[in-house]
Amino acid sequence: MTSTTTSQQELFRFLEDRFACAQACAECARACALRASLVDPDGTENQELVRRKGIMCAEVCDATCRVLSEQNQVDEAAIRAQLEWCRQVCLESAHVFDGHPGAEESAKSCRDCARACGEFLTTLR
C-alpha cells in the first residue's frame, strides 16, 4: 500500500514540476515577445540581434509550453530534446539581453525559464 502512495506522490510531484516549467516557459515567451516588440526595427545591429533573439526565444518557449501541456503521451526523448533546446535558447537570449538597457526583466525571465527546464530535465533522467 505504501508503494501506491509513494507512486502517487511521485506522480503529483512530476506533474507539479511539469506545470511549473510550462508556466516559466509561458512567462518567458511573453517577456521575450514584449522585448522584441519594443526594439526599433530600423535600429542598430545590436538592437536587431535583441529583436531576433526575443522572437526566437518567445517561439521556442511557446512551443515548449505546448509540449508540456499536451494531454496525450509525448515521447520522453522528444520532451527532453525540447527542454534542452529551450534551456539553451533562453540562456543565449539572456546573455544578449544583458547588454541591452531596459531588458533586465526579460533576461531574468529567460534565466528563470532555463532553470525550470533544467530542473524538470533532472526528473526525466
mmCIF file of all heavy atoms in Angstrom, residues 27-47:
data_model
loop_
_atom_site.group_PDB
_atom_site.id
_atom_site.type_symbol
_atom_site.label_atom_id
_atom_site.label_comp_id
_atom_site.label_asym_id
_atom_site.label_seq_id
_atom_site.Cartn_x
_atom_site.Cartn_y
_atom_site.Cartn_z
ATOM 1 N N GLU A 27 5.727 32.489 -19.268
ATOM 2 C CA GLU A 27 6.155 33.807 -18.786
ATOM 3 C C GLU A 27 7.316 34.335 -19.629
ATOM 4 O O GLU A 27 7.348 35.496 -20.022
ATOM 5 C CB GLU A 27 6.562 33.713 -17.313
ATOM 6 C CG GLU A 27 7.107 34.998 -16.734
ATOM 7 C CD GLU A 27 6.110 36.143 -16.717
ATOM 8 O OE1 GLU A 27 4.897 35.885 -16.576
ATOM 9 O OE2 GLU A 27 6.545 37.310 -16.853
ATOM 10 N N CYS A 28 8.270 33.463 -19.921
ATOM 11 C CA CYS A 28 9.425 33.863 -20.729
ATOM 12 C C CYS A 28 8.988 34.232 -22.150
ATOM 13 O O CYS A 28 9.466 35.210 -22.705
ATOM 14 C CB CYS A 28 10.459 32.740 -20.749
ATOM 15 S SG CYS A 28 11.999 33.207 -21.553
ATOM 16 N N ALA A 29 8.085 33.455 -22.715
ATOM 17 C CA ALA A 29 7.587 33.750 -24.067
ATOM 18 C C ALA A 29 6.969 35.139 -24.102
ATOM 19 O O ALA A 29 7.225 35.925 -25.022
ATOM 20 C CB ALA A 29 6.577 32.694 -24.505
ATOM 21 N N ARG A 30 6.174 35.452 -23.094
ATOM 22 C CA ARG A 30 5.530 36.767 -23.040
ATOM 23 C C ARG A 30 6.572 37.888 -22.903
ATOM 24 O O ARG A 30 6.523 38.893 -23.608
ATOM 25 C CB ARG A 30 4.531 36.813 -21.883
ATOM 26 C CG ARG A 30 3.623 38.020 -21.955
ATOM 27 C CD ARG A 30 2.557 38.048 -20.868
ATOM 28 N NE ARG A 30 3.132 38.633 -19.663
ATOM 29 C CZ ARG A 30 3.297 38.007 -18.520
ATOM 30 N NH1 ARG A 30 2.916 36.771 -18.367
ATOM 31 N NH2 ARG A 30 3.837 38.608 -17.493
ATOM 32 N N ALA A 31 7.537 37.700 -21.999
ATOM 33 C CA ALA A 31 8.569 38.717 -21.773
ATOM 34 C C ALA A 31 9.417 38.933 -23.023
ATOM 35 O O ALA A 31 9.746 40.075 -23.367
ATOM 36 C CB ALA A 31 9.452 38.314 -20.590
ATOM 37 N N CYS A 32 9.760 37.854 -23.709
ATOM 38 C CA CYS A 32 10.607 37.969 -24.906
ATOM 39 C C CYS A 32 9.849 38.603 -26.073
ATOM 40 O O CYS A 32 10.418 39.394 -26.827
ATOM 41 C CB CYS A 32 11.161 36.607 -25.295
ATOM 42 S SG CYS A 32 12.441 36.048 -24.158
ATOM 43 N N ALA A 33 8.593 38.249 -26.213
ATOM 44 C CA ALA A 33 7.783 38.865 -27.278
ATOM 45 C C ALA A 33 7.652 40.361 -27.027
ATOM 46 O O ALA A 33 7.762 41.170 -27.960
ATOM 47 C CB ALA A 33 6.412 38.200 -27.343
ATOM 48 N N LEU A 34 7.445 40.721 -25.770
ATOM 49 C CA LEU A 34 7.353 42.141 -25.426
ATOM 50 C C LEU A 34 8.671 42.846 -25.699
ATOM 51 O O LEU A 34 8.695 43.917 -26.312
ATOM 52 C CB LEU A 34 6.956 42.301 -23.953
ATOM 53 C CG LEU A 34 6.897 43.739 -23.442
ATOM 54 C CD1 LEU A 34 5.844 44.543 -24.210
ATOM 55 C CD2 LEU A 34 6.584 43.759 -21.949
ATOM 56 N N ARG A 35 9.774 42.240 -25.282
ATOM 57 C CA ARG A 35 11.094 42.841 -25.505
ATOM 58 C C ARG A 35 11.337 43.034 -26.996
ATOM 59 O O ARG A 35 11.784 44.093 -27.431
ATOM 60 C CB ARG A 35 12.182 41.930 -24.899
ATOM 61 C CG ARG A 35 13.610 42.345 -25.144
ATOM 62 C CD ARG A 35 14.008 43.734 -24.731
ATOM 63 N NE ARG A 35 13.401 44.203 -23.525
ATOM 64 C CZ ARG A 35 13.139 45.489 -23.253
ATOM 65 N NH1 ARG A 35 13.461 46.432 -24.109
ATOM 66 N NH2 ARG A 35 12.578 45.849 -22.133
ATOM 67 N N ALA A 36 11.015 42.033 -27.803
ATOM 68 C CA ALA A 36 11.221 42.140 -29.256
ATOM 69 C C ALA A 36 10.367 43.247 -29.844
ATOM 70 O O ALA A 36 10.810 43.976 -30.740
ATOM 71 C CB ALA A 36 10.905 40.805 -29.925
ATOM 72 N N SER A 37 9.160 43.421 -29.339
ATOM 73 C CA SER A 37 8.253 44.440 -29.894
ATOM 74 C C SER A 37 8.705 45.856 -29.542
ATOM 75 O O SER A 37 8.344 46.809 -30.229
ATOM 76 C CB SER A 37 6.818 44.215 -29.395
ATOM 77 O OG SER A 37 6.696 44.575 -28.032
ATOM 78 N N LEU A 38 9.501 46.011 -28.496
ATOM 79 C CA LEU A 38 9.951 47.337 -28.064
ATOM 80 C C LEU A 38 11.198 47.811 -28.803
ATOM 81 O O LEU A 38 11.564 48.978 -28.700
ATOM 82 C CB LEU A 38 10.230 47.324 -26.556
ATOM 83 C CG LEU A 38 9.017 47.103 -25.658
ATOM 84 C CD1 LEU A 38 9.455 46.983 -24.201
ATOM 85 C CD2 LEU A 38 7.993 48.211 -25.838
ATOM 86 N N VAL A 39 11.837 46.911 -29.538
ATOM 87 C CA VAL A 39 13.074 47.258 -30.239
ATOM 88 C C VAL A 39 12.725 47.909 -31.573
ATOM 89 O O VAL A 39 11.852 47.439 -32.310
ATOM 90 C CB VAL A 39 13.949 46.003 -30.465
ATOM 91 C CG1 VAL A 39 15.167 46.328 -31.300
ATOM 92 C CG2 VAL A 39 14.364 45.418 -29.128
ATOM 93 N N ASP A 40 13.434 48.983 -31.878
ATOM 94 C CA ASP A 40 13.246 49.684 -33.144
ATOM 95 C C ASP A 40 13.688 48.787 -34.297
ATOM 96 O O ASP A 40 14.847 48.377 -34.352
ATOM 97 C CB ASP A 40 14.078 50.969 -33.136
ATOM 98 C CG ASP A 40 13.959 51.780 -34.412
ATOM 99 O OD1 ASP A 40 13.155 51.406 -35.297
ATOM 100 O OD2 ASP A 40 14.673 52.793 -34.526
ATOM 101 N N PRO A 41 12.752 48.433 -35.216
ATOM 102 C CA PRO A 41 13.127 47.526 -36.320
ATOM 103 C C PRO A 41 14.196 48.098 -37.239
ATOM 104 O O PRO A 41 14.875 47.361 -37.931
ATOM 105 C CB PRO A 41 11.816 47.304 -37.079
ATOM 106 C CG PRO A 41 10.846 48.278 -36.539
ATOM 107 C CD PRO A 41 11.372 48.843 -35.271
ATOM 108 N N ASP A 42 14.370 49.415 -37.231
ATOM 109 C CA ASP A 42 15.409 50.043 -38.048
ATOM 110 C C ASP A 42 16.610 50.454 -37.200
ATOM 111 O O ASP A 42 17.389 51.310 -37.604
ATOM 112 C CB ASP A 42 14.835 51.275 -38.766
ATOM 113 C CG ASP A 42 13.719 50.905 -39.717
ATOM 114 O OD1 ASP A 42 13.821 49.848 -40.370
ATOM 115 O OD2 ASP A 42 12.723 51.663 -39.791
ATOM 116 N N GLY A 43 16.749 49.817 -36.042
ATOM 117 C CA GLY A 43 17.812 50.185 -35.111
ATOM 118 C C GLY A 43 19.158 49.602 -35.493
ATOM 119 O O GLY A 43 19.359 49.099 -36.593
ATOM 120 N N THR A 44 20.047 49.661 -34.540
ATOM 121 C CA THR A 44 21.416 49.189 -34.745
ATOM 122 C C THR A 44 21.450 47.665 -34.898
ATOM 123 O O THR A 44 20.450 46.974 -34.673
ATOM 124 C CB THR A 44 22.292 49.569 -33.536
ATOM 125 O OG1 THR A 44 21.811 48.867 -32.391
ATOM 126 C CG2 THR A 44 22.271 51.065 -33.281
ATOM 127 N N GLU A 45 22.626 47.171 -35.249
ATOM 128 C CA GLU A 45 22.812 45.723 -35.394
ATOM 129 C C GLU A 45 22.557 45.012 -34.056
ATOM 130 O O GLU A 45 21.964 43.937 -34.020
ATOM 131 C CB GLU A 45 24.243 45.448 -35.874
ATOM 132 C CG GLU A 45 24.490 44.024 -36.286
ATOM 133 C CD GLU A 45 25.876 43.848 -36.882
ATOM 134 O OE1 GLU A 45 26.340 44.715 -37.631
ATOM 135 O OE2 GLU A 45 26.491 42.804 -36.568
ATOM 136 N N ASN A 46 22.982 45.642 -32.955
ATOM 137 C CA ASN A 46 22.748 45.070 -31.630
ATOM 138 C C ASN A 46 21.251 45.007 -31.323
ATOM 139 O O ASN A 46 20.757 44.021 -30.782
ATOM 140 C CB ASN A 46 23.481 45.879 -30.551
ATOM 141 C CG ASN A 46 23.331 45.247 -29.184
ATOM 142 O OD1 ASN A 46 23.414 44.028 -29.033
ATOM 143 N ND2 ASN A 46 23.082 46.065 -28.186
ATOM 144 N N GLN A 47 20.514 46.049 -31.690
ATOM 145 C CA GLN A 47 19.071 46.049 -31.470
ATOM 146 C C GLN A 47 18.396 44.970 -32.311
ATOM 147 O O GLN A 47 17.456 44.317 -31.857
ATOM 148 C CB GLN A 47 18.480 47.422 -31.784
ATOM 149 C CG GLN A 47 18.833 48.472 -30.756
ATOM 150 C CD GLN A 47 18.339 49.843 -31.160
ATOM 151 O OE1 GLN A 47 18.411 50.234 -32.331
ATOM 152 N NE2 GLN A 47 17.840 50.582 -30.193
#
